[in-house]
């Protein structure tokens, strides 16, 4: 199996027989201008290899996560953290965003300049669910973008080209189902950004890996701001506690308390708050502008007083 990963004649023939735009288009350097920046053939080839063997990689990670030694043992969790910190650079990382921010990215991509035949957006079955053969609805929610769309379409994995409005509808449906939107990239670079994921916490490998190791996921450009006097409390509401994947909301003396250090900025707690006690505001220390700039995600920044994070 390992030997198959290396460049071989069959792989070369597959790529060489692809349309020219599959080899020379690709991008996505979020350079704030809306112009697609081309990637090289080697970049495309490396990501094509990752796409081809991604199901195997996900099954290996899932095997570790399902072992109690790695999930419930301090030594095992430290091992996972060390491996993720040292080798994880080459594997996908996630920026957690709100559904509105994911939609901003879709609209931005829809307006980017690219060659006529190059797809911008495609959707397919959740790669984690398909790889692990564990399913829950919604399942057709893996929105690959630009050169990522080209790669996953070429691998015949059940993806199809979609227009921005359909992608927006998928994101909205996933948000309403309680899923968290993430922007996934490799190599710590915006030029390796390739997919909008709609994640659960039962099957999604990246979310589960973060919860086990504290690695592979980053907070987005917004953070929640709570108005305690408007909060209805745990007895009348308390939905924010279960809605948060990251444990940012806890009950103390029947009141909901926010741990801002744990808030990744997904806005699911805002969606379910019956007291309208929460809103999203700009995070002071968003550190991933070089991957997906905040001005693309947020538009004009507000001037709210922000909680420290």
């Amino acid at each position: 199996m390992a030997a198959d990963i290396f460049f071989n004649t069959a792989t070369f023939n597959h790529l060489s027989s692809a349309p020219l735009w599959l080899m020379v288009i690709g991008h996505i350097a979020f350079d704030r201008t809306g112009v697609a920046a081309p990637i090289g053939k080697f970049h495309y080839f490396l990501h094509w290899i990752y796409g081809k063997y991604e199901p195997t990689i996900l099954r290996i990670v899932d095997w570790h996560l399902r072992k109690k030694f790695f999930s419930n043992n301090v030594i095992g969790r430290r091992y996972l953290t060390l491996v993720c910190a040292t080798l994880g650079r080459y594997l996908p990382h996630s920026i957690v965003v709100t559904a509105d921010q994911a939609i901003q990215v879709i609209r931005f991509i829809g307006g980017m300049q690219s060659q006529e035949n190059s797809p911008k957006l495609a959707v397919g079955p959740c790669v984690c669910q398909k790889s692990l053969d564990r399913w829950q609805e919604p399942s057709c929610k893996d929105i690959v973008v630009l050169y990522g769309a080209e790669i996953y379409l070429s691998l015949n994995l059940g993806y199809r080209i979609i227009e921005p409005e359909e992608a927006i509808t998928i994101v909205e449906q996933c948000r309403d189902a309680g899923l968290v939107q993430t922007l996934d990239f490799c190599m710590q670079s915006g030029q390796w950004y390739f997919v909008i994921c709609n994640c659960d916490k039962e099957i999604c490998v990246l979310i589960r890996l973060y919860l086990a190791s504290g690695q592979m996921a980053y907070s987005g450009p917004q953070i929640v701001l709570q108005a305690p006097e408007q909060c209805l409390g745990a007895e009348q509401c308390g939905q924010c506690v279960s809605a948060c994947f990251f444990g940012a909301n806890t009950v103390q003396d029947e009141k909901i308390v926010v741990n801002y250090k744990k808030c990744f900025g997904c806005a699911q707690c805002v969606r379910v708050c019956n007291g309208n006690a929460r809103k999203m505001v700009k995070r002071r220390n968003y550190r991933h502008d070089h991957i997906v700039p905040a001005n693309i995600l947020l538009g004009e920044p507000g001037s709210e007083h922000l909680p420290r994070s």
Side-chain angles (χ1 to χ4, degrees):
M1 177 69 72
D4 292 338
I5 296 177
F6 294 103
F7 195 96
N8 56 45
T9 301
T11 300
F12 178 80
N13 288 339
H14 175 90
L15 291 174
S16 298
S17 64
L20 179 62
W21 55 264
L22 280 182
M23 298 296 295
V24 299
I25 295 299
H27 61 288
I28 177 174
F30 274 120
D31 59 3
R32 305 168 189 262
T33 68
V35 178
I39 63 169
K41 292 182 181 180
F42 189 61
H43 179 157
Y44 184 95
F45 169 72
L46 287 180
H47 214 135
W48 185 90
I49 286 293
Y50 171 76
K52 181 175 177 62
Y53 290 96
E54 183 177 22
T56 300
I57 294 169
L58 292 172
R59 285 191 288 268
I60 291 171
V61 176
D62 175 71
W63 181 88
H64 284 81
L65 292 173
R66 287 187 291 108
K67 298 298 180 182
K68 290 185 178 180
F69 174 77
F70 297 106
S71 60
N72 298 332
N73 182 285
V74 173
I75 296 176
R77 292 170 74 93
R78 287 180 178 174
Y79 167 79
L80 279 180
T81 300
L82 178 63
V83 170
C84 291
T86 55
L87 301 179
R89 172 182 175 85
Y90 305 102
L91 297 175
H93 284 60
S94 296
I95 298 174
V96 176
V97 295
T98 67
D100 287 343
Q101 291 159 24
I103 289 169
Q104 289 275 28
V105 171
I106 290 168
R107 288 177 173 154
F108 179 84
I109 289 172
M112 290 181 78
Q113 299 175 16
S114 63
Q115 290 197 7
E116 183 178 354
N117 291 329
S118 179
K120 294 181 180 180
L121 298 158
V123 69
C126 170
V127 66
C128 291
Q129 294 188 23
K130 186 173 182 179
S131 301
L132 306 180
D133 195 23
R134 298 206 294 271
W135 300 92
Q136 66 179 30
E137 294 294 340
S139 60
C140 189
K141 58 182 181 174
D142 201 46
I143 303 173
V144 284
V145 303
L146 295 165
Y147 88 95
E150 297 160 11
I151 288 173
Y152 283 77
L153 285 166
S154 75
L155 290 170
N156 297 317
L157 298 174
Y159 288 78
R160 59 182 177 85
I161 297 172
I162 58 173
E163 295 298 321
E165 289 309 311
E166 183 176 355
I168 289 170
T169 298
I170 292 169
V171 167
E172 291 174 338
Q173 291 173 342
C174 289
R175 172 202 61 201
D176 295 343
L179 304 184
V180 167
Q181 286 66 51
T182 67
L183 311 179
D184 293 2
F185 59 94
C186 297
M187 301 294 187
Q188 298 295 310
S189 168
Q191 287 190 326
W192 290 79
Y193 167 59
F194 69 104
V195 63
I196 299 170
C197 280
N198 295 280
C199 303
D200 61 82
K201 63 179 180 179
E202 291 80 28
I203 303 173
C204 174
V205 171
L206 267 177
I207 292 294
R208 290 163 55 215
L209 188 56
Y210 170 78
L211 295 175
S213 69
Q215 303 287 321
M216 313 297 280
Y218 300 133
S219 55
Q222 285 189 319
I223 188 171
V224 71
L225 181 63
Q226 182 195 41
E229 68 279 3
Q230 293 178 230
C231 178
L232 299 178
E235 287 191 0
Q236 296 186 55
C237 182
Q239 294 191 56
C240 58
V241 177
S242 58
C244 181
F245 286 13
F246 307 102
N249 304 301
T250 56
V251 180
Q252 297 182 17
D253 299 325
E254 296 302 317
K255 297 180 179 179
I256 307 297
V257 177
V258 182
N259 183 340
Y260 290 109
K261 291 183 179 180
K262 290 186 176 183
C263 176
F264 271 66
C266 71
Q268 279 294 338
C269 65
V270 176
R271 182 182 68 86
V272 300
C273 179
N274 290 321
N276 295 317
R278 292 164 177 251
K279 63 181 178 179
M280 302 303 293
V281 296
K282 188 178 179 183
R283 190 183 297 272
R284 284 177 174 166
N285 56 345
Y286 175 62
R287 298 187 176 94
H288 309 293
D289 215 51
H290 63 293
I291 297 169
V292 183
N295 70 320
I296 290 176
L297 295 169
L298 301 177
E300 292 295 324
S303 55
E304 307 274 2
H305 176 70
L306 311 180
R308 294 193 178 276
S309 61

